[in-house]
Amino acid sequence: MNTDQLDRAIRDVLHSWTPENPGVPEGVADRIVRRRRRRSLVRGTGAALALAGIAFGGVLAAGAGGSSDDGPRPPAAGVSEDSDLLWRTTLPGTSWDACTIGPGAVYCRGASYDGIGVDVRNGKITWQREAGKADGDRTPAGSLPGVRDGVLYTYADHSPGASMAGTDLVAVDVDARRELWRHKLADDSRGRSSAVLFDGGVLANSPTFKSVVALDDGTGRALWSYTWKQADCDRAAIGGVPYLMCSPDSEKAPQRSTVVRLDPDTGAPRTVASVEGPTAYLGTDGKALLLGATDGEPKRLGEPVPGTLIRVDLGSGKVSRHRVDALPGGAVADGIVLGFDGNDRAVARSAEDGRRLWSHDLGLELRPDAHMPDMAELPSEAAVDLASRTAYYADPSGNLVGLDLDSGEVRWRGRVELPETPVESGIAPELMVYEHGLVGQVGGELFRIRPVLPESVS
């Protein structure tokens, strides 16, 4: 089960569960599975939870333990709190949940807009493309595939206003502000692997399940397709080449996972590696791919689960296996996987063998949900500036922190003043590095800030 199918499973379970509890806020199921919640938590452990049906009492309780009654901590000695807030912009509409950076602009999408462009120099909105009639704010959320050569790749409802609207991948010329083409996907998955950009095209879900198609950038014409059976496959472009990371889709399927390279020109498959048992795709480290296999099931979503980190060298096909007390999950930067423990402490592990390098309390403010005390807000995933070797995090209240990538020590703390908003449990902000500064998205607020690090580490 890949992350997109897991999202659907969680959503289905929660939609069937919430009517029995009139105190649950409307739309909680969709909020929980939105892209802004931390995806790394489910990569290694979610399939077991979804297949088991989820005991909701402890689901997504991870944020509650990381909350601080006293709010964010003041800077310690030697920690900079200086920064330049270059701009802050309030986006129109509601439910903004995915952004990406292109040359000179930030692009976002949400329930009411399939795409919006913001000048990264001054924060001014330069163009916007409204979505078709949405079903409230429950349009399926996810990521943005990206922007390349003046074209933004985004998602839109296939049948706007319908209860089961479906999803199209849409290519938009950002200069001419016009749609170039669109391609129907099999379902409403809009995750990180629903469409990926590779050298020579876009690899997207086909209109049918268990199939992908390579599309021409300019026309959307199908270049080639590939179909498989008895597996769920994540997709990624690594070094400009499309890959599939496939795991058995049921106990009746052959119990082996495979990494398949698809030729960018023809789609011809080549199995790079095969390993026993189900696995989950964790990420990439240079020319190596990271898979995870868990031992057992967590008691709650986000709780560390022991297992095996599987590292696949994409050049030689060599497979190495490393037993770990908790599978690493999160952003990967220069051989380091930056994730969280069950209490939202930042944890760094080696991408080589999974050993823990450091952990540190972020000292951010993660507000609990008054309607469901076991749930709380989440911090952003790490945004890493390799030039200063700093990993940055944010909370939904506008507090930010920068940790030394190698030691985990706090280098910087900052804050962006944001309008007070209700708690949205299971939702996290987004941070992106741009020119040694940060672009952040918290709900409908977009900002650019430049941290001023201490001279000794700048």
Side-chain angles (χ1 to χ4, degrees), residues 36 85-93 96-102 104-109 115-127 144 400 416-419 429-432 438-449:
R36 293 282 69 79
L85 180 62
L86 302 180
W87 51 260
R88 196 195 88 195
T89 296
T90 300
L91 301 175
W96 292 93
D97 66 357
C99 296
T100 189
I101 294 182
V106 185
Y107 302 95
C108 300
R109 67 161 297 275
I116 192 167
V118 178
D119 192 315
V120 76
R121 297 168 300 179
N122 53 34
K124 293 183 178 180
I125 297 173
T126 57
W127 69 272
L144 273 174
L400 301 105
V416 176
E417 293 296 330
L418 300 175
E430 182 172 30
L431 281 183
M432 298 163 282
L438 300 169
V439 173
Q441 176 253 326
V442 180
E445 300 298 318
L446 197 67
F447 61 86
R448 182 181 174 191
I449 189 171

Side-chain angles (χ1 to χ4, degrees), residues 125-327:
I125 297 173
T126 57
W127 69 272
Q128 52 194 16
R129 177 186 174 86
E130 291 190 13
K133 182 181 178 181
D135 181 15
D137 64 352
R138 295 187 180 187
T139 182
S143 63
L144 273 174
V147 59
R148 182 170 64 185
D149 298 331
V151 177
L152 172 68
Y153 299 92
T154 183
Y155 298 108
D157 286 350
H158 180 72
S159 301
S163 59
M164 299 293 289
T167 293
D168 288 339
L169 171 66
V170 182
V172 179
D173 185 317
V174 296
D175 293 326
R177 304 181 186 180
R178 65 183 180 88
E179 180 180 310
L180 297 177
W181 53 264
R182 61 173 55 208
H183 165 79
K184 188 178 188 303
L185 304 182
D187 58 17
D188 279 336
S189 296
R190 303 182 184 188
R192 60 190 173 91
S193 70
S194 296
V196 296
L197 309 183
F198 68 93
D199 289 348
V202 183
L203 186 71
N205 288 351
S206 296
T208 57
F209 290 97
K210 299 188 185 301
S211 179
V212 291
V213 60
L215 305 171
D216 179 79
D217 296 76
T219 66
R221 177 177 60 89
L223 303 174
W224 49 260
S225 62
Y226 178 74
T227 303
W228 63 89
K229 297 179 180 180
Q230 294 185 298
D232 292 325
C233 299
D234 267 310
R235 281 76 70 194
I238 306 169
V241 176
Y243 286 84
L244 301 178
M245 290 68 66
C246 300
S247 182
D249 61 0
S250 70
E251 293 182 356
K252 297 180 180 179
Q255 296 300 294
R256 295 193 67 81
S257 296
T258 56
V259 176
V260 179
R261 181 188 189 274
L262 300 177
D263 185 280
D265 296 323
T266 66
R270 177 173 64 85
T271 299
V272 176
S274 178
V275 298
E276 293 185 7
T279 59
Y281 171 52
L282 302 178
T284 59
D285 177 32
K287 295 183 178 180
L289 185 144
L290 307 178
L291 303 174
T294 60
D295 291 344
E297 301 174 8
K299 295 180 180 179
R300 63 178 186 175
L301 192 60
E303 187 174 66
V305 176
T308 301
L309 173 67
I310 302 167
R311 184 180 175 91
V312 179
D313 186 294
L314 295 176
S316 65
K318 180 182 177 182
V319 176
S320 59
R321 305 172 67 95
H322 307 277
R323 293 287 303 163
V324 291
D325 60 348
L327 283 173

